[in-house]
Amino acid sequence: MAQKLRLFSRLLAAAALLLGLTAGGVWWWSGSEGSLATTLRWVSQSSLLPAPRSLTADGVTGSLRQGGRVERLVWQDAGLRVTASQLDVRWQALALLSGRLHIDRLHLASVQIDSSADDTPTAPSAPPTSLRLPL
């Protein structure tokens, strides 16, 4: 019984060490140059954006943890295309742990919104009841 307990405690310690090393590696990587570009590329290629939605980003510099610069960001959905130029954003990633999105700087040189949807007039929509972010 003591031998099984020792083996279990070693396996538990090894799992905790592996988890700690993984978390440390992700934290280090998220602060490295290029992590923002890699994350945007992963999102654009993943199923997180179901068809027909798409996301493309060009000229991305910076890190996922601190923020960065995107020369051109394009988001598309059925009939709608939003293009942001020279996006510069700085945030505090640790604030997300407390459920807050803390943005220190957000700058856009230009935003262009194109709609190719049916131009049939529709009734105006009601204003949103809240602008609170889902965090």
Side-chain angles (χ1 to χ4, degrees), residues 4 8 13 20 29 36 57 65-69 72 96 100 114 117 123 130 134-135:
K4 287 183 181 181
F8 178 73
W29 172 80
L36 182 60
R65 198 169 7 149
Q66 283 94 23
R69 183 171 176 86
R72 185 169 173 261
L96 291 173
R100 295 181 303 122
D114 296 314
S130 171
L135 294 177

Side-chain angles (χ1 to χ4, degrees), residues 25-37 62-66:
V26 168
W27 181 254
W28 170 81
W29 172 80
S30 70
S32 66
E33 177 66 35
S35 61
L36 182 60
S63 73
L64 189 59
R65 198 169 7 149
Q66 283 94 23

